[in-house]
Amino acid sequence: MSKDFTSVLQQAIDTLVAEQKTPSVALIKSRLSEPVPMPLIISALQRWKKNGTVPKVELVEKEKDAQQRIAELEAQVKALTARIEALEQRQ
């Protein structure tokens, strides 16, 4: 699952440029209509300075926490071990 912040960042930067202000992290953050993680603001600003446009900026959310992934992997290992033991008994 991901959330696209491109339009929000583009709007904030466009507003600053229209006001003839040089975009900075602090100024962009103050113009945002919704919270955006700081690393995404920094990345967007760096790319905007380099290319003159805001690239597509997304935040990909972790779908599962570590404990849930570990439990799934342990179950998978258990199932594979059982299959290996069954195959070994056939021979």
Side-chain angles (χ1 to χ4, degrees), residues 40-75:
L40 297 181
I41 297 171
I42 293 167
S43 175
L45 178 60
Q46 288 172 341
R47 291 186 183 178
W48 177 82
K49 284 181 178 180
K50 185 176 182 182
N51 301 327
T53 59
V54 175
K56 184 171 183 174
V57 180
E58 290 183 316
L59 176 64
V60 178
E61 297 177 15
K62 295 179 182 175
E63 294 180 13
K64 302 175 184 176
D65 66 350
Q67 291 297 329
Q68 189 176 14
R69 287 196 60 191
I70 290 170
E72 288 175 4
L73 291 171
E74 286 174 344

Side-chain angles (χ1 to χ4, degrees), residues 10 72 85 91:
Q10 182 68 55
E72 288 175 4
E85 289 173 357
Q91 295 176 350

Side-chain angles (χ1 to χ4, degrees), residues 17-56:
V17 170
E19 295 173 2
Q20 297 181 347
K21 295 183 178 179
T22 304
S24 67
V25 173
L27 287 174
I28 293 171
K29 189 167 177 68
S30 71
R31 298 295 196 284
L32 292 173
S33 59
E34 62 183 89
V36 177
M38 190 66 72
L40 297 181
I41 297 171
I42 293 167
S43 175
L45 178 60
Q46 288 172 341
R47 291 186 183 178
W48 177 82
K49 284 181 178 180
K50 185 176 182 182
N51 301 327
T53 59
V54 175
K56 184 171 183 174

Side-chain angles (χ1 to χ4, degrees), residues 70-85:
I70 290 170
E72 288 175 4
L73 291 171
E74 286 174 344
Q76 190 176 26
V77 167
K78 186 176 180 179
L80 290 171
T81 302
R83 288 179 66 187
I84 290 171
E85 289 173 357

